[in-house]
Amino acid sequence: MSMLLVATVAIGVVFFGLTDPRDLPVGLLMVPVLLVFIAGFLFASLFMKLFFLSTPSTKHRTISIVFAVGLTLILLFQSSGGIVLGDILLLGLLMLISYIYINKF
């Protein structure tokens, strides 16, 4: 898991180092978003496995997905012109509702 995280971060560093967002085709603009989601998921999953050993793996996966989606949405909000406290509160509420919904059903 940690090697996959290191590989994802390395791919992200190479991608961000070699490309200019103004010259990318529209399809390739999704690559940074996907890299942030994958890196966020792997980081949260590794964190959960290291520090919360007693919780089941399905909860690890759920929390990791909610964290990665929140991180990705923050990136998208920031890239669209800035993020303010209201955006963060809205995303926090959305993540909380998503977590409760996923665990209830």
Side-chain angles (χ1 to χ4, degrees), residues 62-83:
T62 302
I63 292 171
S64 298
I65 288 172
V66 170
F67 174 78
V69 167
L71 189 64
T72 305
L73 287 175
I74 287 174
L75 171 76
L76 291 173
F77 270 112
Q78 179 61 32
S79 68
S80 69
I83 191 165

Side-chain angles (χ1 to χ4, degrees), residues 7-8 14 17 25-27 32-33 40 42 44 47-50 61 74 78 82 94-95 98-99 105:
T8 304
V14 169
V26 174
V33 175
L42 292 173
F47 182 81
M48 293 295 291
K49 285 183 181 177
L50 289 175
R61 193 175 317 118
I74 287 174
Q78 179 61 32
L94 180 67
M95 295 299 108
S98 299
Y99 178 76
F105 297 105

Side-chain angles (χ1 to χ4, degrees), residues 1-2 4-6 8-9 35-52 60 63-65 67-68 71:
M1 175 88 53
S2 61
L4 195 55
L5 177 62
V6 170
T8 304
V9 170
L35 286 173
V36 167
F37 176 80
I38 293 169
F41 173 76
L42 292 173
F43 174 77
S45 187
L46 184 64
F47 182 81
M48 293 295 291
K49 285 183 181 177
L50 289 175
F51 294 108
F52 298 101
H60 285 185
I63 292 171
S64 298
I65 288 172
F67 174 78
L71 189 64

